[in-house]
Amino acid sequence: MNSLLKDINCAKDKIQKPNFETRMGREFLAFYLKTKFKQIINWDKKTGQNLFTGVKDNFLEEFLERLISKPKERILIGITGESASGKSTICNEISRNTERLNLPVTILNADNYFRDISHLIKEYGDFDKLRDAGYDVDAPENFQLDLMAKNLLDLKQGCDILAPKYLVNGTGVSIPSALPVKSNKVIVIEGMATMFEPVKSLFDIKIYVEIDNKIRKKRFINRAKSRNQDKENAHKHWEYVLRSGEKYIQPARKDCDIIASGECDLDYFSKLIEYINLATNSFLEE
C-alpha cells in the first residue's frame, strides 16, 4: 500500500496535454492509459491484494481502439456476479469515491429493469410463495432488456434518461420512467441483467465479481437477517440463488474482460480509484 501511495503522489506530475481531437493525440492517450493499466496490474500482484484475478488477453487493445475510433461515446462498464459476491459493495465504494473526488461517473442498478410482477405477488400472497411455486424470477425474460438496451444506447450517446424503478419492498412493483440518470463520461451498470443480450454487447468493459461460496453464503444469510427474513426462508432462497447463479450468471464469466475478487480491501480499492483519477487528469492545458 505504501508503494501505491508513493506512486499516486508521482501521478500528480503533469505532462503536456495532446490534442485529443486528432487521431494521433488519442493514440498517445491510449498508449499512456495502457502503461498506467499495466502498472495497476503489477501493483495488484506485488501487494498480494489480488483484486484482479483475471484479465482477458485482448481486452486492453480492443478497449483502447474503441477510445481512439469513437472518442465521443461514453464508456459503459457492466459489472455482474452471483448474489452476495461483492459487486454491490464494489459499486458502493465507486459511488462513495465519485462523490469524494467529484468524478464524472454514473451508477445504475440493473435490477431496476425487473418487470412488474405485482399481480403475481397478489395472486400468490407474497414473493416467497411465488418462488416456492416455481417462479424463476432471475430468468432473462423477467427483465425489460429491450428497454434497458435502448436506455444504455441513449446514455452512450450522451443523452440523459429516465430509467424504471423496481421497488425492493416485496411488492414486485416497477415504476416506469422514475429514475433520472445522467449521461456522465463513465457509466457503471451493476447486476445480473448486464450480461444478457441485447444488453451485454453494448459494454466497453465487462467485469465479473466472484468470491468463495462459503463466504458468499455467510454474507447472504447475514444479509437476510438484516432484512428480517427468517432463517428457514433465507436458506430456501439461498438454494434458489445457487441454482439461478449456475444457470444464468456463471456462463457470463467467460465473456467478461476482467475477473475481480469480491474480497478486495476497500481502502486499497479506493486508492486505485484515486490513482486512476489522478493519472487520467495529469495533463497540462496549453
Side-chain angles (χ1 to χ4, degrees):
M1 183 65 72
N2 290 334
S3 175
L4 177 59
L5 288 172
K6 181 180 177 181
D7 285 310
I8 284 175
N9 289 330
C10 291
K12 295 176 183 177
D13 298 330
K14 292 183 178 290
I15 59 177
Q16 194 66 43
K17 181 179 180 180
N19 182 2
F20 296 139
E21 294 298 317
T22 67
R23 184 175 179 90
M24 183 178 293
R26 296 195 296 274
E27 286 176 345
F28 172 82
L29 174 63
F31 174 78
Y32 175 78
L33 292 177
K34 184 175 183 178
T35 301
K36 294 302 178 183
F37 183 78
K38 286 184 176 180
Q39 285 179 346
I40 289 172
I41 295 299
N42 288 334
W43 284 328
D44 194 57
K45 290 178 180 177
K46 186 177 179 180
T47 60
Q49 291 288 340
N50 297 320
L51 169 61
F52 302 97
T53 59
V55 180
K56 188 178 284 187
D57 290 341
N58 60 348
F59 154 65
L60 197 54
E61 285 71 20
E62 290 182 353
F63 172 64
L64 294 176
E65 177 55 36
R66 205 291 275 158
L67 288 185
I68 293 169
S69 60
K70 299 178 181 179
K72 296 188 183 301
E73 286 189 356
R74 304 305 200 246
I75 297 171
L76 293 188
I77 301 175
I79 300 180
T80 194
E82 296 185 77
S83 183
S85 62
K87 58 186 184 298
S88 294
T89 301
I90 286 174
C91 284
N92 288 339
E93 194 65 14
I94 294 173
S95 179
R96 190 181 72 81
N97 281 279
T98 292
E99 294 179 8
R100 180 173 69 90
L101 301 171
N102 194 28
L103 303 177
V105 177
T106 293
I107 298 176
L108 176 62
N109 192 324
D111 286 357
N112 282 300
Y113 288 85
F114 270 120
R115 294 189 185 278
D116 190 305
I117 57 170
S118 56
H119 61 292
L120 291 173
I121 297 289
K122 290 177 181 177
E123 179 182 344
Y124 283 85
D126 59 36
F127 176 83
D128 297 326
K129 290 177 181 175
L130 178 61
R131 178 205 60 212
D132 293 344
Y135 184 77
D136 192 0
V137 67
D138 289 344
E141 58 266 25
N142 292 324
F143 289 89
Q144 303 175 72
L145 295 175
D146 288 337
L147 174 61
M148 187 176 174
K150 180 182 182 303
N151 283 174
L152 293 189
L153 281 170
D154 287 341
L155 288 170
K156 199 175 184 74
Q157 298 304 319
C159 302
D160 297 345
I161 65 163
L162 287 173
K165 181 177 182 180
Y166 184 79
L167 303 184
V168 292
N169 57 5
T171 62
V173 170
S174 174
I175 306 173
S177 304
L179 288 175
V181 182
K182 185 174 177 59
S183 178
N184 274 312
K185 185 182 295 185
V186 177
I187 300 156
V188 179
I189 318 294
E190 174 240 326
M192 64 182 298
T194 57
M195 294 304 133
F196 296 151
E197 291 293 10
V199 174
K200 179 173 69 173
S201 57
L202 299 178
F203 290 105
D204 300 295
I205 303 174
K206 297 184 284 292
I207 300 173
Y208 189 95
V209 181
E210 63 184 9
I211 197 171
D212 182 81
N213 261 3
K214 290 181 180 178
I215 300 172
R216 196 162 69 88
K217 181 178 181 179
K218 184 177 179 180
R219 285 182 179 179
F220 185 90
I221 299 300
N222 287 338
R223 188 172 67 186
K225 289 177 184 177
S226 69
R227 296 175 179 177
N228 296 318
Q229 192 176 15
D230 66 70
K231 186 175 180 180
E232 180 183 356
N233 190 55
H235 282 275
K236 273 187 180 181
H237 202 59
W238 168 251
E239 292 302 320
Y240 168 76
V241 299
L242 272 181
R243 297 191 302 271
S244 171
E246 183 177 358
K247 186 175 182 181
Y248 300 121
I249 304 176
Q250 289 180 20
R253 189 183 189 280
K254 68 181 186 304
D255 299 318
C256 287
D257 304 302
I258 296 171
I259 311 300
S261 169
E263 293 184 83
C264 69
D265 179 87
L266 295 182
D267 182 58
Y268 169 76
F269 184 63
S270 291
K271 292 301 179 185
L272 285 183
I273 293 174
E274 186 175 348
Y275 174 76
I276 292 168
N277 178 49
L278 286 169
T280 54
N281 289 281
S282 59
F283 299 107
L284 286 168
E285 298 289 344
E286 294 182 359

